């Protein structure tokens, strides 16, 4: 079937991948995904790289990041408040060595045309870049083996006509800018204090600009940060067994007042740093990955955000309704209002300051969607030092209920910001029965519904390709389309969802058969 269509807005450099997308997803009938749609998988460096079958650990495992220190430190593993399993990183899937084989799975078995992956800042710059300026000086400081590795990764994607969506910060920071262990022990006095420090914003912008200049000839689609509030909440506000992030501290108050004389929790200080970081990274990428001669294609830059619907426990209870509104504002609107519109509520008190240096820096919004929050309201603010808009009980939130309609809800909410969307993560860890195919079809049904209702969505990236190292949980959560066989890392066994996703990609949408086999819940 031939479907005439304008060239998608992504890179001419990946012309073949783009043309493939126009034939895969032509729309109409049972193929409602738009022409040029990107079908891919999402991965992350820290979670996928370790575990190489033959490459030595010293090269395969990046030992220079805060997350490496966090999951390997005896102090952290022996501290029950961190919820770290301590599983060896050697158990991870080894994609540092096996990336080409993994890309073959995407291209040849799934029929996809895109891969989301991350650069590791700490691989490229294992030592401090503070005081080092300019591309040439930075390149002299960068690890040449890391640069060569990433160039090889992007070349392998290009050879397979797979478009890369490259995340620059997927949770991890170099240990020279964040001492995960030291800051866990004393977050107010550790020297390399990550998102709380004065150096992190200029240095991450410097890294982003360097990456854009170094790899801009192979990459056109960039994401600055992955799930910033999934760093802030489990790192600085409420670490839990569900997720903890370094430095894993709870509700510590920033002793330095803001300009209005208010003290606030460190989590808000970290969030404000990440808001600034996105804008400065966006500017640095745009400055260094400019329009390419001969193609006319400029870099597109966005943010990846884990949008979460909030539902009142009892829709007839005004407290629950208000609590759900408050949670939704704090978790979703606060950050996006600042990074897309430039409207900053720095103290979460409704006093908005418009900042032109934040506004207009979002070419697309990446949406990660997994679950909703079911909320119990409270009579007054549960955490007044955080915000008066905490009229909900965070200790009784219900999470991780399967709620496909939530994908429709967050896509339609994101539409209000006026930027196109990409579904940058969506997936299920329940792989022991037919839940993953069920999950995939029902969520894609809701995505198709959102597109039909006018949402501009340019692609879908399933999380994830192969079982990987799920942060503090180690290998205990199995999100992969492919099951990792630990005794033979080169063996990735397809699960049932592989065939489902392949059918969707080939048809450009959900067939009547799939819709009847996996209907939406009533």
């Amino acid at each position: 079937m031939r479907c005439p269509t304008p060239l998608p807005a992504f890179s001419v450099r990946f012309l073949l991948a783009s043309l493939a997308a126009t034939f895969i997803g032509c729309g109409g009938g049972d193929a409602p995904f738009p022409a040029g749609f990107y079908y891919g998988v999402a991965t992350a460096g820290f979670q996928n790289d370790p575990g190489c079958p033959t490459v030595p650990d010293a090269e395969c495992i990046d030992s220079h990041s805060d997350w490496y220190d966090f999951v390997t430190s005896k102090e952290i593993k022996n501290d029950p408040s961190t919820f770290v399993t301590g599983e060896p990183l050697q158990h991870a899937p080894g994609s540092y060595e096996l990336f080409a084989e993994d890309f073959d799975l995407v291209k040849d078995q799934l029929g996809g045309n895109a891969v989301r992956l991350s650069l590791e800042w700490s691989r490229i710059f294992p030592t401090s870049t503070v005081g080092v300026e300019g591309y040439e000086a930075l390149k002299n400081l960068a690890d040449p083996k890391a640069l060569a590795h990433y160039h090889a990764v992007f070349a392998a994607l290009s050879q397979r006509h797979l478009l890369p969506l490259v995340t620059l910060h997927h949770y991890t920071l170099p240990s020279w800018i964040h001492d995960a262990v030291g800051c866990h022990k004393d977050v107010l006095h550790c020297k390399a204090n990550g998102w709380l420090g004065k150096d992190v914003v200029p240095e991450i912008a410097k890294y982003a600009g360097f990456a854009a200049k170094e790899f801009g000839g192979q990459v056109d689609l960039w994401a600055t940060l992955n799930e910033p509030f999934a760093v802030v909440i489990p790192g600085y506000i409420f670490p839990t067994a569900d997720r903890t992030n370094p430095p894993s501290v709870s509700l510590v108050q920033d002793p330095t007042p803001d300009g209005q004389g208010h003290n606030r929790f460190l989590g808000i200080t970290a969030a404000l740093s990440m808001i600034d970081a996105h804008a400065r990274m966006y500017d640095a990428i745009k400055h260094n990955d400019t329009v390419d001669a001969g193609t006319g294609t400029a870099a597109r830059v966005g943010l990846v955000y884990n949008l979460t619907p909030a539902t009142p426990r009892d829709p007839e209870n005004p407290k629950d309704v208000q609590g759900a509104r408050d949670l939704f504002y704090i978790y979703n609107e606060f950050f996006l209002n600042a990074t897309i519109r430039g409207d900053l509520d720095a103290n979460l008190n409704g006093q908005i300051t418009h900042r032109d240096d934040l506004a207009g820096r979002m070419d697309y919004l990446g949406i990660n969607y997994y679950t909703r929050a079911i909320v119990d309201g409270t009579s007054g603010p549960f955490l007044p030092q955080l915000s008066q808009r905490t009229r909900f009980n965070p200790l009784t939130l219900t999470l991780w209920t399967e709620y496909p309609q939530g994908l429709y809800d967050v896509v339609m909410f994101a539409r209000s910001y006026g930027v196109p969307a990409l579904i940058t993560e969506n997936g299920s860890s329940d792989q022991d029965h037919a839940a993953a195919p069920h999950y995939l079809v029902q969520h894609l049904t809701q995505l198709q519904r959102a597109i039909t209702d006018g949402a501009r969505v340019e692609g879908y990236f399933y999380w994830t390709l192969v079982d990987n190292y799920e942060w503090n949980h180690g290998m205990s959560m199995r999100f992969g389309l492919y099951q990792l066989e630990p005794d033979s890392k080169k063996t990735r066994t397809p699960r049932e969802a592989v065939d489902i996703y392949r059918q969707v990609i080939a048809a450009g949408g959900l067939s009547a058969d799939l819709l009847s086999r996996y209907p939406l819940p009533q």
Side-chain angles (χ1 to χ4, degrees), residues 438-460:
H438 173 92
Y439 181 102
L440 175 62
V441 172
Q442 292 191 353
H443 283 76
L444 287 177
T445 300
Q446 294 289 359
L447 180 59
Q448 290 183 173
R449 178 183 163 214
I451 292 170
T452 300
D453 286 351
R456 183 180 171 193
V457 183
E458 297 179 339
Y460 175 88

Side-chain angles (χ1 to χ4, degrees), residues 400-431:
W400 299 111
T401 58
E402 189 173 310
Y403 186 60
Q405 182 182 324
L407 182 56
Y408 174 88
D409 294 340
V410 297
V411 168
M412 298 308 288
F413 163 71
R415 183 188 180 202
S416 67
Y417 285 98
V419 295
L422 287 165
I423 308 307
T424 38
E425 289 182 27
N426 178 235
S428 172
S429 64
D430 189 356
Q431 303 288 2

Side-chain angles (χ1 to χ4, degrees), residues 133-168:
E133 301 295 335
Y135 170 75
E136 293 299 335
L138 287 167
K139 185 152 187 175
N140 288 336
L141 188 62
D143 184 336
K145 186 170 288 187
L147 298 183
H149 169 74
Y150 287 126
H151 279 298
V153 167
F154 297 138
L157 287 166
S158 180
Q159 289 164 7
R160 292 160 177 80
H161 309 306
L162 296 170
L163 178 128
L165 191 171
V166 178
T167 310
L168 289 165

Side-chain angles (χ1 to χ4, degrees), residues 169 171 195-196 226-239 243 245-251 265-275 305-306 330-331 334-335 348 386:
H169 174 262
Y171 292 168
W195 288 110
L196 306 178
N226 177 76
E227 297 187 349
F229 245 53
V231 173
V232 169
I233 291 177
Y236 297 94
I237 298 177
F238 277 127
R243 173 58 59 82
N245 279 49
S248 188
V249 296
S250 298
L251 296 171
F265 286 131
L266 293 178
I268 299 304
T269 303
L272 295 175
S273 290
M274 298 185 89
I275 287 169
Y305 204 85
N306 52 320
I330 291 172
Y331 199 89
F334 157 69
F335 207 95
L348 285 173
L386 178 65

Side-chain angles (χ1 to χ4, degrees), residues 43 297 402 485:
T43 65
T297 303
E402 189 173 310
E485 303 298 344

Side-chain angles (χ1 to χ4, degrees), residues 9-90:
F10 293 113
S11 173
V12 177
R13 183 179 301 114
F14 293 93
L15 174 62
L16 292 176
S18 298
L19 289 175
T22 67
F23 294 112
I24 290 172
C26 300
D30 288 334
F33 288 119
F37 198 77
Y38 280 84
Y39 302 90
V41 295
T43 65
F46 177 84
Q47 297 179 265
N48 286 76
D49 284 349
C52 299
T54 64
V55 172
D57 286 349
E59 178 182 349
C60 178
I61 297 176
D62 172 22
S63 62
H64 300 287
S65 77
D66 58 348
W67 263 100
Y68 173 85
D69 296 338
F70 195 62
V71 300
T72 60
S73 163
K74 289 183 179 179
E75 290 180 86
I76 296 295
K77 289 187 286 186
N78 291 334
D79 183 342
S81 73
T82 65
F83 307 101
V84 171
T85 66
E87 183 163 7
L89 284 161
Q90 287 84 352

